[in-house]
Amino acid sequence: MSDYSQPSQPEDSLAAIAAEVRHCQRCPLAQGRRNAVPGVGPAQSAIMFIGEGPGGMEDQSGLPFVGPAGQYLDELLASIGLIREDVFITNVVKCRPPNNRDPEPDEIDSCKPYLVRQLRLVDPEIIVTLGRFAMERWLPDQRITKVHGQAFRFGRRLIVPMLHPAAALRRAEWRPWMIEDFQKLPHYIDEARRLRAGDDPNAPISAITPPPDAPQQSRLL
Ligand code: URA
């Protein structure tokens, strides 16, 4: 996982990555796309959300999470006092898989260098993985229904796996989990900053303690 935390090359930029993604031909998903969807957000964001891949509306607009799952993501962000402009949002694959099928391992691998570069540049304290495919990068042996909402330390970041908002839209019984998991984020950001301020960046991976139940006002920004 060290390739996610190396410093970026001085000449790299989010704009350069986005330009490359828009012309990318590294995998067959390029054939079927209308627009590639590189990702959006401030160059320095405390939180990066990583979804699975663009759907129909994202393919049409070139922007991530603008369909129903994105509207739900906006609501969840609002529940902790954030708007989407506060966070960086991207996907494991930057082009829409045909008929919204799951991305193939070789498509994910082809797209990985873009995500690695985005992570180095944005350098978020927290990565929230939305759904199984994003989680598998860091926690390949975990089950999302078991570990969602927990925080796992990877070097100088915390990885917080969450269910995919589209899955929670399909399954109403999962929505309370989504809400609870978002309520933990302000606590995790405090933890992540504390770890960064004082700790050994090469310390081993470990799960950190989830916060007590009480909802918290956002102190993220
Ligand atoms: N689902 C995703 O995983 N990503 C998007 O951008 C939209 C829907």
Side-chain angles (χ1 to χ4, degrees):
M1 290 304 156
S2 59
D3 54 352
Y4 286 108
S5 53
Q6 300 300 310
S8 55
Q9 298 299 308
E11 68 275 14
D12 205 4
S13 71
L14 291 171
I17 298 167
E20 282 179 50
V21 166
R22 289 195 187 98
H23 295 102
C24 181
Q25 298 290 331
R26 284 187 194 172
C27 85
L29 294 183
Q31 311 310 318
R33 72 172 179 232
R34 275 177 290 187
N35 291 292
V37 182
V40 286
Q44 260 118 36
S45 301
I47 308 181
M48 181 184 279
F49 286 87
I50 305 177
E52 184 178 313
M57 292 179 74
E58 291 77 19
D59 178 62
Q60 200 162 28
S61 65
L63 294 167
F65 282 97
V66 290
Q71 284 166 24
Y72 185 42
L73 181 61
D74 287 345
E75 285 174 33
L76 291 162
L77 287 168
S79 74
I80 54 167
L82 295 179
I83 55 173
R84 67 163 51 212
E85 287 76 14
D86 295 326
V87 299
F88 197 91
I89 306 177
T90 190
N91 283 300
V92 168
V93 294
K94 316 294 194 206
C95 297
R96 183 191 186 193
N99 302 315
N100 299 336
R101 67 155 166 73
D102 291 346
E104 300 285 350
D106 56 336
E107 295 161 353
I108 294 173
D109 279 350
S110 302
C111 227
K112 179 180 170 181
Y114 298 126
L115 186 57
V116 170
R117 286 165 62 196
Q118 288 173 321
L119 276 165
R120 287 177 185 163
L121 284 163
V122 177
D123 194 22
E125 276 115 342
I126 304 226
I127 297 171
V128 177
T129 58
L130 299 170
R132 179 165 65 90
F133 290 95
M135 181 187 78
E136 278 173 357
R137 282 263 170 238
W138 288 273
L139 301 165
D141 302 323
Q142 298 286 356
R143 289 187 47 191
I144 194 158
T145 47
K146 184 157 170 263
V147 297
H148 68 89
Q150 295 178 32
F152 296 83
R153 182 179 178 187
F154 279 72
R156 47 206 300 281
R157 301 189 214 291
L158 297 183
I159 308 297
V160 182
M162 292 198 193
L163 301 165
H164 196 287
L169 283 179
R170 284 193 299 271
R171 299 186 62 162
E173 71 272 23
W174 283 0
R175 285 180 220 157
W177 287 351
M178 289 299 283
I179 293 163
E180 281 167 29
D181 292 351
F182 265 74
Q183 293 292 320
K184 295 173 187 168
L185 282 178
H187 169 77
Y188 288 150
I189 200 84
D190 288 347
E191 287 292 300
R193 287 188 173 151
R194 199 177 53 74
L195 290 172
R196 269 199 189 188
D199 271 19
D200 171 7
N202 299 314
I205 300 163
S206 61
I208 71 158
T209 321
D213 288 341
Q216 305 188 22
Q217 262 318 104
S218 171
R219 294 188 301 280
L220 302 190
L221 300 171

